[in-house]
Amino acid sequence: MSIDPHQIDPATWLADQRRHAPRMLRRLLLTALADAPLAIVQAALLAWLAANLLAGRGGLWTPATLLLLALALRAVAGAARARYSAGVAADITRTVRERVADALLRGAGAALPPGEASTALLEQAQAVGRYHAGFAVQRRVASLATVLFLVAAFSVDWIVGLIFLCTAPLIPVFMMLVGTGAQRAADRQLDSLRFLGGYFLDRLRGVLTLRAFAREEAERRAVDTVNGEYRRHTMKVLRIAFLTSAVLELFAALSVALVALYVGLHLLKLVAFGPGPALTFGTGLWLLLLAPEFYQPLRQLAAGYHDRAAARAAAEVLAPLLAAGGQTGDGPVATAATAAMATDAGPPPALTLDALSFRFADDQPALFEQLSATLPAGGCLLLRGDSGTGKSTLLRLIAGLLAPQQGAVLHDGRPAPLLTEHTGRLAWAGQHPWFVHGTVAENLRLVAPEADDADLEAVLAECGLTALPAGLATPLDENGGGLSGGQGRRLALARALLSPAPLLLLDEPTAELDPASEARLVDALAARKGTRTLVIATHSPALAPLADHSLWLSAAPAPGEKEETTPRHWEAPAHD
């Protein structure tokens, strides 16, 4: 089902993200709610101990022991709340980041500059996690704790309860009054951060050009100017946050002072209205100790209000982005590292390209128009054509990383599974592979954790990688640093061949290989044919004997011509 990004309500989307950590959120809420009754008990025990001490009565050990126990329980609850809060923030942030990364891989963020995409992946996803770990939970805690404190106060002295009841709304009312300004400031800060990320990335990419034209100092000053603008927007957000906190602290302090004045005047017997004359020192002290605790949840809610503003600003960007990526949010998201991992990946799938049409943008020419092909399970499809005709793009469509404008890609007669659904079902070896920091062996064992050194060396030999600098212990970075470009592509191919994935998508696997190495690799692919379905984009005629079907792609087909498959040999396709 297609999702219109313009129909996504950011507030609804933001609230819906709490389902990514339901158990941790329940634990966080319980530990946060435990603080209110413990605060009431602590105030009562402290008042009891002080009253006995002032009256010179014995029996101090019992209230002292219970008070220490209450303090310990409150400390434990606070520590548990901090732990679960960090867990909720981490779980939701990680899930949102995985979904954003998945949407970006599908091309949903094609209109986003790289700087804005990185901001969405990092800062904005983190803002969503902070919101659910802080403000969203504290809002429920404040409402329930306020009711509990009011019940306790009214049960002893209705005048103090009335003071609490009349002053408590001042805090949320003031939060709503400043909410619009805080939201606008947060939006401006987010826009400034997104612009700064893209601006700085563009300068890094063009650093050689800037040096060639002696523009380093001018661009450094320009970056400082943009950074200063972001700093000013950040300070505006902080100014509103601190001003709000200061005013709310003032309201709370005045309310506590009002309670203290009422209790003190009655204990001195200077006034006699209300139930005050019945107040004892212990009861009055308990009410006085209760006053700051009553306002503490509301102050914490106000302190986290800027997290709400930041999360709402992030949701304005993330909700349409994820909707454009075709994500409903159901189910876990597979990362690129796990997309090829499985212990039992199943039989090889049959592939069908059904009237496939694709273009990157409405104002660009179509790469494919009504493209159709059928490949049986365990077969081999070769994609041939000049550079730029869309072979790599077609591989991404088959993998489910891109969505066609028309037509469909079918795996065993069903729509191509999304990246969130085909964990272990395919392995990809592209022209620009990515690796993890570690050794060659560690990168290969990402897809075959149980493989021994002999298995790894065998697949490396099939791919012509017998002369690595340190063998299986050769260190790598994300870009394959430590290997040449050709060795990096062959290592990615070895990783794909080692995986148990029943569908292999290979992009120019024989590029830059000498004839002997190319023949060895062709034999390795032939050995896997039948148990794997192979789709290979290539310029090399040496792979022609593997082909059950060859699909020819051209940049601009002549009128009346249609690309189709040619069985079992490498020749120009027939035309209608």
Side-chain angles (χ1 to χ4, degrees):
M1 184 178 79
S2 62
I3 304 173
D4 185 0
H6 301 289
Q7 296 179 351
I8 299 297
D9 180 24
T12 303
W13 177 87
L14 181 62
D16 190 49
Q17 302 312 300
R18 62 176 177 266
R19 75 186 189 285
H20 297 310
R23 296 179 62 184
M24 194 74 74
L25 271 172
R26 285 194 295 269
R27 295 173 183 175
L28 173 59
L29 182 60
L30 289 175
T31 54
L33 287 175
D35 188 70
L38 287 174
I40 295 174
V41 172
Q42 174 186 313
L45 292 172
L46 185 58
W48 181 16
L49 179 63
N52 286 352
L53 186 62
L54 186 65
R57 295 192 297 266
L60 300 179
W61 285 107
T62 299
T65 302
L66 293 176
L67 178 60
L68 290 176
L69 180 60
L71 290 171
L73 289 176
R74 199 173 181 189
V76 170
R81 178 179 181 176
R83 176 185 176 186
Y84 292 138
S85 178
V88 167
D91 288 348
I92 294 179
T93 299
R94 182 180 64 250
T95 303
V96 173
R97 280 177 176 166
E98 288 173 349
R99 295 179 61 206
V100 170
D102 187 39
L104 293 174
L105 286 173
R106 293 179 184 282
L112 289 179
E116 294 188 14
S118 64
T119 300
L121 191 62
L122 299 175
E123 284 82 2
Q124 293 174 7
Q126 189 176 38
V128 175
R130 283 200 308 265
Y131 165 78
H132 284 287
F135 184 86
V137 171
Q138 188 60 33
R139 181 168 52 192
R140 300 177 64 184
V141 171
S143 60
L144 295 174
T146 299
V147 173
L148 185 60
F149 281 116
L150 286 175
V151 170
F154 272 107
S155 65
V156 174
D157 192 306
W158 63 268
I159 295 293
V160 174
L162 194 60
I163 293 174
F164 286 168
L165 184 61
C166 293
T167 57
L170 293 175
I171 294 179
V173 166
F174 188 78
M175 286 171 53
M176 287 187 290
L177 290 177
V178 302
T180 303
Q183 188 65 59
R184 285 199 300 265
D187 291 341
R188 287 194 296 267
Q189 182 203 26
L190 180 60
D191 290 340
S192 180
L193 177 62
R194 290 160 54 191
F195 176 76
L196 176 61
Y199 189 87
F200 186 62
L201 181 60
D202 288 341
R203 269 57 190 173
L204 285 179
R205 285 178 167 175
V207 64
L208 295 179
T209 303
L210 295 176
R211 291 191 63 184
F213 289 92
R215 293 286 301 172
E216 306 101 308
E217 184 61 26
E219 290 301 324
R220 186 192 64 79
R221 290 194 298 269
V223 170
D224 286 343
T225 301
V226 177
N227 187 41
E229 187 69 19
Y230 171 67
R231 182 166 56 248
R232 284 191 292 274
H233 287 307
T234 302
M235 293 306 297
K236 289 181 180 178
V237 174
L238 294 178
R239 189 181 304 120
I240 293 176
F242 284 123
L243 178 61
T244 305
S245 299
V247 175
L248 298 181
E249 288 290 343
L250 176 62
F251 288 158
L254 291 176
S255 302
V256 172
L258 188 59
V259 173
L261 179 64
Y262 167 77
V263 172
L265 290 176
H266 276 288
L267 290 178
L268 294 173
K269 302 189 183 304
L270 296 177
V271 294
F273 63 88
L279 283 179
T280 64
F281 173 78
T283 305
L285 181 59
W286 177 68
L287 291 173
L288 191 58
L289 292 173
L290 202 64
E293 298 290 354
F294 171 76
Y295 296 102
Q296 183 61 25
L298 296 174
R299 289 200 298 264
Q300 291 176 346
L301 181 65
Y305 195 78
H306 65 281
D307 287 338
R308 175 187 179 275
R312 289 293 298 269
E316 295 283 348
V317 177
L318 296 182
L321 173 64
L322 296 181
Q327 296 190 19
T328 61
D330 298 328
V333 177
T335 63
T338 61
M341 295 174 60
T343 55
D344 183 13
L351 291 180
T352 302
L353 308 182
D354 184 14
L356 209 61
S357 297
F358 179 81
R359 70 181 71 225
F360 282 104
D362 293 338
D363 58 348
Q364 295 183 3
L367 284 177
F368 319 118
E369 288 283 0
Q370 299 296 312
L371 180 63
S372 297
T374 300
L375 180 66
C380 177
L381 172 64
L382 293 188
L383 307 180
R384 186 184 180 186
D386 296 333
S387 297
T389 55
K391 298 188 296 298
S392 298
T393 301
L394 184 55
L395 287 178
R396 290 184 173 88
L397 287 166
I398 295 173
L401 297 176
L402 294 175
Q405 279 79 32
Q406 295 179 2
V409 179
L410 305 178
H411 291 202
D412 288 329
R414 296 185 297 273
L418 300 177
L419 187 63
T420 56
E421 299 169 353
H422 62 33
T423 301
R425 293 292 296 167
L426 67 85
W428 175 288
Q431 298 186 51
H432 306 287
W434 288 86
F435 304 99
V436 298
H437 264 288
T439 64
V440 167
E442 290 170 341
N443 276 272
L444 290 176
R445 288 195 173 101
L446 287 174
V447 299
E450 304 300 325
D452 56 24
D453 288 352
D455 295 329
L456 304 186
E457 291 170 351
V459 75
L460 289 178
E462 289 180 321
C463 297
L465 290 173
T466 56
L468 294 177
L472 293 175
T474 301
L476 300 175
D477 60 18
E478 288 93 340
N479 297 308
L483 301 177
S484 67
Q487 287 177 323
R489 287 195 297 272
R490 279 176 279 165
L491 180 58
L493 177 61
R495 187 167 58 185
L497 296 180
L498 187 64
S499 77
L503 175 60
L504 300 184
L505 305 179
L506 312 179
D507 196 355
E508 299 290 354
T510 61
E512 302 180 12
L513 290 182
D514 59 81
S517 299
E518 186 177 41
R520 186 164 51 246
L521 181 56
V522 171
D523 292 339
L525 294 174
R528 288 164 174 80
K529 185 180 173 183
T531 59
R532 314 277 189 96
T533 299
L534 307 178
V535 181
I536 306 173
T538 184
H539 290 94
S540 174
L543 291 166
L546 293 177
D548 294 296
H549 295 273
S550 296
L551 185 62
W552 291 59
L553 303 179
S554 60
E561 292 184 344
K562 182 174 67 175
E563 295 158 350
E564 59 187 17
T565 57
T566 303
R568 298 189 181 279
H569 56 85
W570 185 285
E571 293 180 1
H575 299 295
D576 292 341

